[in-house]
């Protein structure tokens, strides 16, 4: 499975300089099983495989857990194997999101230092099912319900089609003795409640196969999201313009007439792209709908406030516009200067 996944990702084995893979390993069952599987190809010379262990310092004894993981990885003859101690900042994004952010920063640095062609992550089908359910609970859109991507840049998830019990069987067969993160059963975390309460309840009430069904849905939705995102990017490039002599480089115009004829699924994505280009976080569905309401020309012309000091409003008559556009037929996205 791993070999085929790597081939599909364009990482052919062997040669004078085999591709360098870096396994992100916590010492848990998923990542430890992935490291053990990758070590087979390392011993054969198909790939050069190292590993990075990130110690978030969030639990007592985390340094010892990280050190034990390093010992197991070095016993697999992986090289280099490094520990990265990070500090998770207090922020408005929540502890899980903050930990994820600093973890990927550490992994990026480790990959650069090792000259890695890819970083392997141990997410499984069960992780994907949990992610889809969390997205449903938040009322998220297609992209969020597509769940965890098998590939994003240098990050690859070759075990995304395996159940969690299958990777645990790999650990048992190889006598790996993985570490089990106690937060995975802590009801304080929404993901833990989904894992220990919601999914088992759905299996009991609706029958077996719920996790697999959610995984299939995520793959279908990922294809839909990829197509719609591609269409939106092309449409955005066609509708986007800048007001001449506006004196503000952080200002984007979108044709109202062009936006009105779009299906909502495309129009809302195009509006979100304008906000994102100016540095705003992806706006919520409610905020995008508020911008969309400006097209009806009912009530206020705006502004609608978005994140990152970005606002959207209808262009007023007489403002300078690109050649060929009407004098007031545009939505304007503007980022407030920090000066």
């Amino acid at each position: 499975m791993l070999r085929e996944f790597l081939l599909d990702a364009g990482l052919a084995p062997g040669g004078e300089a085999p591709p360098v893979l870096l396994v992100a390993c916590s010492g848990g069952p998923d990542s430890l099983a992935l490291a053990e599987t990758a070590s087979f190809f390392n011993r054969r010379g198909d790939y050069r495989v190292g590993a990075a262990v990130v110690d978030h310092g969030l639990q007592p004894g985390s340094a010892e857990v990280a050190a034990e993981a390093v010992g197991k990885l070095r016993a697999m003859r992986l090289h280099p194997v490094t520990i990265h101690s990070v500090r998770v900042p207090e922020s408005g994004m929540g502890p899980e999101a903050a930990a994820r952010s600093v973890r990927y920063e550490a992994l990026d640095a480790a990959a650069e230092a090792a000259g890695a062609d890819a970083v392997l992550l141990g997410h499984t089908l069960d992780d994907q099912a949990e992610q889809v359910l969390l997205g449903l609970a938040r009322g998220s859109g297609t992209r969020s319900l597509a769940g965890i991507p098998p590939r994003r840049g240098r990050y690859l998830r070759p075990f995304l089609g395996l159940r969690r019990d299958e990777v645990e069987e790999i650990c048992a067969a190889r006598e790996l003795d993985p570490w089990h993160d106690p937060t995975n059963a802590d009801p304080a975390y929404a993901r833990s409640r989904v894992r220990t309460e919601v999914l088992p309840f759905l299996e009991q009430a609706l029958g077996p196969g719920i996790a697999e069904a959610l995984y299939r849905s995520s793959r279908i939705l990922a294809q839909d999201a990829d197509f719609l995102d591609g269409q939106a990017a092309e449409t955005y490039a066609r509708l986007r313009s800048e007001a001449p002599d506006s004196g503000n480089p952080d200002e984007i115009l979108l044709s109202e007439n062009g936006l009105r004829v779009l299906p909502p699924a495309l129009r809302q994505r195009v509006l979100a792209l304008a906000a994102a280009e100016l540095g705003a976080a992806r706006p919520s569905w409610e905020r995008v709908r508020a911008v969309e309401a400006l097209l009806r020309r009912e009530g206020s012309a705006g502004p609608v406030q978005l994140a990152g000091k970005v606002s959207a409003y209808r262009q007023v008559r007489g403002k300078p516009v690109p050649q060929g556009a009407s004098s007031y037929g545009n939505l304007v996205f503007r980022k407030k200067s920090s000066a």
Side-chain angles (χ1 to χ4, degrees), residues 60 104 135 173 233:
Y104 279 101

Side-chain angles (χ1 to χ4, degrees), residues 253-301:
L253 277 63
L254 295 176
S255 165
E256 286 190 57
N257 289 336
L259 288 168
R260 285 195 188 96
V261 299
L262 296 177
L266 274 183
R267 182 167 55 242
Q268 292 164 15
R269 282 172 166 79
V270 168
L271 296 174
L273 285 173
E277 182 178 344
L278 294 178
R282 186 172 184 88
S284 68
W285 184 76
E286 290 80 8
R287 289 287 84 195
V288 172
R289 290 281 289 162
V291 176
E292 202 173 22
L294 298 174
L295 296 171
R296 294 196 289 270
R297 289 189 166 271
E298 299 172 356
S300 171

